Amino acid sequence: MSDQLKFIVEKLNQEPFKKNYNLITFDSLESMQLLQLLNDVLGEIDPKHVVDIREEMPDQTTKRMLSLLGILKYKPPGSIIDLSTFRQGLVTGSKPVIHPVLHWLLQRTNELKKRAYLARFLIKLEVPIEFLQDDTVADTNKQYEELMEAFKNLHKECEQLKASGFSTAEIRRDITAMEEEKDQLIKRVERLKKRVETVQNHQRMLEIARQLRLEKEREESLVQQKQEQKNQLFHAEQRLQRVQLQLKAMHHAVADSKPESLVKKLEAEIKLNSFLVNEEIPRDLETKKQSLYFLQKVVAEPAMSQSDLNELETKIDEVNAQINQLIEKRMIKYEPIDSRFSMYRQQASIISRKKEAKAEELQAAKEEMSNIERQMLQKANEARELEGTEILKGDEFKRYVSKLRSKNTLYKKKRQEIAEITAEYGILQRTEELLKQRHDAIQQQLQAIEDKKGISGYSYTQEELERVSAVKSEMDEMKGRTLDNMSEMVKKLNATVAEKKSSLAPVVKELRQLRQKCQELTQECDEKKVQYDSCAAGLESNRSTLEQEVRGLRQESIQEESGYHFINCAKQNLEVQLQRAKDEMKMYISPDPQERRKAIREQYTRMILEQENLGKKLREKQKAVRESHGPNMKQVKMWRDVEQLMEWLLEGFFLHSRS
């Protein structure tokens, strides 16, 4: 509470109030002073409330303050439970009521100023319906609503301009800078004119420069027109290609179809389009209209705080719970247990949902097909611009694709072979290098030994003879071995093929029987699946019916239980009220005056008499003050005149004494 008082005093000592309070002086304010202070704060928020509360009746002051606080959406704190208590405290200037209001107002003064300003123009005047039957009143009301909407739009634009960062000072600085720049340019032009006037034929040169500028502008416009015409030509070619494709597709469809199939297709398209026009599009249009209505309603509402949003969320949750209860009641009421059509209704709803889903899929597929056709035309144009050849279609394109696939497989095979040969070549090259290094080392050692023995060149000759003989013998062996291997391989392959054929013959027979059996089992499986689906659908519908029945019984049980508790609580409340009424009656008719004074009726009667007496005294006091106001003011004026006369006499006495 002390923090609240400190905040209030600090804000009141600042602009625009400048009250010069401290905690003691603020806490010692009387009720009328507190009310006047509250009225001053409200007057700062809304200038219409700048009044002296001594010049108006208390009920008018209370009504005026309550209306403004209602517009500002003030909610009393949790300690003030009843609205009548808050109103009574506002009338009497109670500190527990006035201090929270001041704290709340001073916390958000700027925001509340904006809200009060908007409330003057956005709080709609409710005109009774019987008055709207008059054309003049209806037209005036319509004009009033249009002006309100125009004010909303203008206020939004003003807020956007304020939030955009532009300020009048910056705009003025820019304007002054531009004017200075304009003056500099004018001076520069004048200097250039003076400089040009000294040149011979300057008028002709200026005319030629002007013509050159005009021709350049004309050239730019012609280039722009040329580009626009190119774009138009490109779009026209695209449209022509699309139309040609559609024409070819229609020729193809007409050539390959019969009148019956065309009629069936047209009927299917008509059904689909009628479904979209009669069911899908009106539903979408209705949802769009509802969303637009809600959005307009939200825009028309004044600005809301976080507490307002939280309150709306709680209301939404409560309304949703009530809607769910009403839906369950309606299901229990209009879908009884013994209804024979529940299964058919459920199946019809499932079919309608499937139908809507398929229609949406078809619409999406059509849009996707149109996008793909557009992309295909674009790619065809790009290919034609790059290659200058026609695009293959139909069987030619299939043959071209098969040819490309065969070439691709051949290319992959050759590429793999080249990679293997390249890897083997690298290995052999490395082996050759190692062997050459080893051979060079051995040759150097052998040559050194031959030089030492005195028989240089012997190893080379001997090596050549051995190499030639070895090569000859290897060739002979390779020829014989190759022929033998080939004959043995052919024999083995023939034997293997015969063996595989003999072993696979019974397996092939068994496989044929199994295939036939598989076809029979597949057919039987399909029949069983159909039976299973129909049985499952029936069981599912029965299950849903039982679930609805159980849900209805549970809801009924909950409702009965809540009704029992509600009736029990109401009974207890009535018993308590009855007991209080008996006690009150007992005290009221009691012969003991002390007991009778304790009765609520006596207390309220006494309080009413006290308030009436107080009101009479205050009115008499007010009347006396009003009657004595004129003579008192005259007396004050006379005393002031006497005081001024005495001052003049004193001044004259001092001047006379000095002289």
Side-chain angles (χ1 to χ4, degrees):
M1 197 68 183
S2 60
D3 295 336
Q4 188 182 70
L5 292 177
K6 285 180 183 178
F7 178 79
I8 294 170
V9 170
E10 182 181 356
K11 286 291 184 180
L12 290 175
N13 291 335
Q14 295 175 2
E15 290 285 346
F17 304 105
K18 292 185 177 180
K19 294 295 183 180
N20 198 15
Y21 286 144
N22 54 30
L23 291 176
I24 298 171
T25 56
F26 178 74
D27 193 47
S28 61
L29 291 175
E30 296 180 356
S31 59
M32 292 297 291
Q33 293 174 337
L34 267 179
L35 280 175
Q36 184 62 51
L37 185 60
L38 176 61
N39 190 80
D40 294 341
V41 176
L42 292 175
E44 180 63 27
I45 292 171
D46 190 355
K48 290 194 303 183
H49 294 264
V50 180
V51 295
D52 190 352
I53 62 173
R54 292 174 296 180
E55 296 178 358
E56 63 178 357
M57 298 299 292
D59 54 349
Q60 294 178 356
T61 305
T62 307
K63 185 177 179 181
R64 179 171 54 80
M65 289 184 179
L66 285 173
S67 64
L68 182 57
L69 290 174
I71 291 170
L72 300 178
K73 295 184 179 179
Y74 172 72
K75 294 180 181 178
S79 58
I80 301 173
I81 301 171
D82 194 3
L83 186 60
S84 61
T85 308
F86 175 74
R87 189 182 291 109
Q88 187 68 26
L90 195 63
V91 171
T92 59
S94 176
K95 291 181 181 179
V97 174
I98 302 294
H99 286 174
V101 177
L102 285 173
H103 184 260
W104 186 79
L105 292 173
L106 294 171
Q107 269 184 331
R108 44 183 71 81
T109 308
N110 294 326
E111 178 186 350
L112 296 177
K113 280 182 181 179
K114 182 177 177 182
R115 185 175 292 178
Y117 170 73
L118 293 175
R120 276 191 289 168
F121 305 102
L122 295 182
I123 293 178
K124 188 176 179 181
L125 296 175
E126 296 296 335
V127 182
I129 299 173
E130 56 269 17
F131 293 147
L132 290 175
Q133 302 298 325
D134 189 2
D135 295 336
T136 307
V137 176
D139 294 338
T140 307
N141 188 39
K142 186 177 180 182
Q143 187 179 3
Y144 167 68
E145 291 177 352
E146 291 175 355
L147 290 173
M148 187 180 289
E149 292 295 328
F151 173 76
K152 288 180 185 177
N153 297 327
L154 290 173
H155 182 70
K156 286 180 184 176
E157 292 177 2
C158 179
E159 291 296 324
Q160 289 175 359
L161 289 173
K162 286 181 181 179
S164 61
F166 294 108
S167 63
T168 55
E170 292 179 358
I171 293 170
R172 285 173 183 167
R173 284 198 296 269
D174 293 339
I175 290 170
T176 53
M178 290 168 70
E179 288 177 352
E180 291 175 358
E181 215 173 304
K182 180 182 176 183
D183 295 336
Q184 291 176 2
L185 289 172
I186 291 169
K187 292 178 182 178
R188 189 176 176 186
V189 169
E190 289 177 354
R191 285 199 302 270
L192 290 173
K193 280 184 179 179
K194 290 178 181 179
R195 192 181 300 173
V196 169
E197 285 176 356
T198 58
V199 180
Q200 295 180 356
N201 299 326
H202 65 279
Q203 292 291 339
R204 180 173 175 77
M205 297 174 91
L206 287 173
E207 187 66 29
I208 291 169
R210 191 179 297 109
Q211 291 179 1
L212 178 62
R213 189 183 72 251
L214 293 173
E215 291 297 327
K216 283 184 177 180
E217 292 177 355
R218 186 181 175 191
E219 183 183 3
E220 290 177 357
S221 65
L222 290 173
V223 169
Q224 189 175 2
Q225 289 178 5
K226 183 180 178 182
Q227 186 64 33
E228 290 177 356
Q229 289 177 0
K230 279 185 178 180
N231 293 331
Q232 291 176 2
L233 180 63
F234 177 70
H235 293 311
E237 288 178 353
Q238 283 188 343
R239 287 198 297 271
L240 179 63
Q241 289 173 1
R242 285 198 297 270
V243 172
Q244 286 177 353
L245 284 174
Q246 291 177 1
L247 183 62
K248 287 181 182 178
M250 291 174 69
H251 281 311
H252 184 69
V254 170
D256 295 341
S257 61
K258 295 179 181 179
E260 293 83 1
S261 61
L262 288 174
V263 171
K264 288 181 180 178
K265 287 181 181 178
L266 288 173
E267 287 177 354
E269 288 182 0
I270 289 168
K271 286 181 181 178
L272 176 63
N273 292 328
S274 62
F275 170 73
L276 292 175
V277 170
N278 297 327
E279 297 183 13
E280 191 69 21
I281 294 174
R283 192 185 301 115
D284 294 341
L285 184 62
E286 190 64 28
T287 54
K288 299 284 185 185
K289 284 182 179 178
Q290 288 180 359
S291 62
L292 179 63
Y293 170 73
F294 288 131
L295 290 173
Q296 288 177 351
K297 192 174 180 182
V298 169
V299 169
E301 292 290 332
M304 302 177 73
S305 60
Q306 187 64 34
S307 60
D308 299 331
L309 292 175
N310 295 330
E311 185 178 355
L312 286 176
E313 286 179 356
T314 54
K315 287 182 179 178
I316 287 167
D317 294 336
E318 293 175 358
V319 171
N320 287 331
Q322 293 177 4
I323 288 169
N324 293 328
Q325 292 178 0
L326 291 173
I327 288 170
E328 291 178 357
K329 287 181 181 178
R330 184 176 177 276
M331 290 172 64
I332 295 167
K333 184 177 180 181
Y334 291 103
E335 293 187 5
I337 301 168
D338 56 347
S339 178
R340 298 180 181 178
F341 301 103
S342 61
M343 180 175 68
Y344 301 107
R345 286 178 188 152
Q346 188 176 4
Q347 291 178 356
S349 63
I350 291 168
I351 290 168
S352 63
R353 284 196 296 270
K354 287 183 179 179
K355 189 177 180 182
E356 291 175 1
K358 292 298 179 184
E360 291 177 358
E361 289 177 2
L362 180 61
Q363 195 71 20
K366 282 185 177 180
E367 292 177 358
E368 188 177 359
M369 187 176 72
S370 62
N371 293 330
I372 290 169
E373 286 179 354
R374 201 178 304 114
Q375 291 177 4
M376 185 181 72
L377 288 172
Q378 188 177 357
K379 297 294 182 184
N381 292 327
E382 291 177 359
R384 190 178 293 107
E385 289 176 0
L386 291 173
E387 297 181 359
T389 58
E390 290 292 333
I391 299 173
L392 299 176
K393 298 176 182 177
D395 297 334
E396 295 179 359
F397 183 72
K398 289 180 181 178
R399 286 196 293 273
Y400 178 70
V401 170
S402 62
K403 189 176 179 181
L404 279 179
R405 285 176 180 170
S406 61
K407 285 185 178 180
N408 192 17
T409 53
L410 183 62
Y411 165 73
K412 288 180 180 178
K413 190 184 293 182
K414 296 297 182 184
R415 189 176 178 182
Q416 188 176 3
E417 290 179 0
I418 290 170
E420 292 175 356
I421 291 169
T422 305
E424 189 176 356
Y425 172 72
I427 294 168
L428 292 174
Q429 194 173 5
R430 179 61 179 163
T431 307
E432 183 183 3
E433 289 177 0
L434 294 173
L435 291 174
K436 279 183 179 180
Q437 291 176 3
R438 192 181 296 174
H439 179 264
D440 292 338
I442 292 169
Q443 283 294 113
Q444 289 177 2
Q445 292 178 3
L446 182 60
Q447 190 174 0
I449 292 169
E450 286 178 354
D451 290 339
K452 193 182 289 185
K453 298 293 183 182
I455 52 172
S456 60
Y458 175 75
S459 60
Y460 177 73
T461 307
Q462 185 67 27
E463 186 179 351
E464 285 293 325
L465 290 172
E466 289 178 358
R467 188 177 62 78
V468 171
S469 61
V471 168
K472 186 176 180 299
S473 61
E474 284 179 2
M475 292 294 290
D476 294 337
E477 283 184 15
M478 191 180 293
K479 287 179 181 179
R481 192 166 55 249
T482 304
L483 292 172
D484 294 337
N485 289 335
M486 288 178 69
S487 60
E488 289 178 1
M489 190 178 295
V490 170
K491 289 178 182 179
K492 287 181 181 179
L493 287 173
N494 289 328
T496 305
V497 169
E499 185 179 355
K500 293 292 182 183
K501 282 183 179 180
S502 61
S503 62
L504 287 173
V507 176
V508 170
K509 291 180 181 179
E510 187 177 357
L511 181 62
R512 288 174 183 171
Q513 295 175 359
L514 290 173
R515 280 180 180 172
Q516 186 177 1
K517 190 175 180 181
C518 178
Q519 291 178 356
E520 294 174 356
L521 291 173
T522 304
Q523 187 176 2
E524 186 179 357
C525 177
D526 293 336
E527 294 175 356
K528 297 292 185 183
K529 189 175 181 182
V530 171
Q531 295 177 2
Y532 169 76
D533 291 337
S534 62
C535 182
L539 293 174
E540 183 69 22
S541 63
N542 291 331
R543 185 178 68 83
S544 62
T545 305
L546 291 173
E547 284 181 353
Q548 289 178 1
E549 182 183 353
V550 170
R551 197 182 300 115
L553 292 173
R554 284 180 180 172
Q555 187 65 30
E556 187 177 356
S557 173
I558 292 169
Q559 289 176 358
E560 294 294 335
E561 187 175 354
S562 63
Y564 166 74
H565 289 302
F566 177 75
I567 291 169
N568 195 10
C569 292
K571 180 185 173 185
Q572 291 178 1
N573 290 331
L574 290 173
E575 288 177 354
V576 171
Q577 291 176 5
L578 183 61
Q579 186 63 36
R580 288 177 63 186
K582 287 180 180 179
D583 295 340
E584 180 69 18
M585 194 66 188
K586 185 177 179 182
M587 286 187 291
Y588 182 68
I589 63 175
S590 176
D592 190 3
Q594 295 296 330
E595 288 291 330
R596 195 181 302 152
R597 287 177 66 84
K598 292 180 181 179
I600 297 174
R601 182 175 177 178
E602 292 293 331
Q603 291 178 8
Y604 277 116
T605 305
R606 191 165 56 253
M607 289 173 66
I608 290 168
L609 290 173
E610 289 176 358
Q611 293 296 324
E612 287 178 353
N613 294 328
L614 180 62
K616 287 179 181 178
K617 290 179 181 179
L618 290 173
R619 281 194 292 272
E620 291 174 357
K621 189 176 181 181
Q622 185 181 11
K623 184 178 179 181
V625 169
R626 285 180 179 176
E627 289 176 353
S628 62
H629 180 69
N632 289 336
M633 291 300 295
K634 289 181 181 179
Q635 190 174 3
V636 168
K637 187 178 179 183
M638 291 170 66
W639 278 110
R640 285 178 182 171
D641 294 340
V642 170
E643 185 180 359
Q644 192 173 5
L645 182 61
M646 294 299 293
E647 288 178 356
W648 289 345
L649 290 173
L650 286 173
E651 287 179 1
F653 177 74
F654 285 131
L655 290 173
H656 182 70
S657 64
R658 285 178 185 176
S659 61

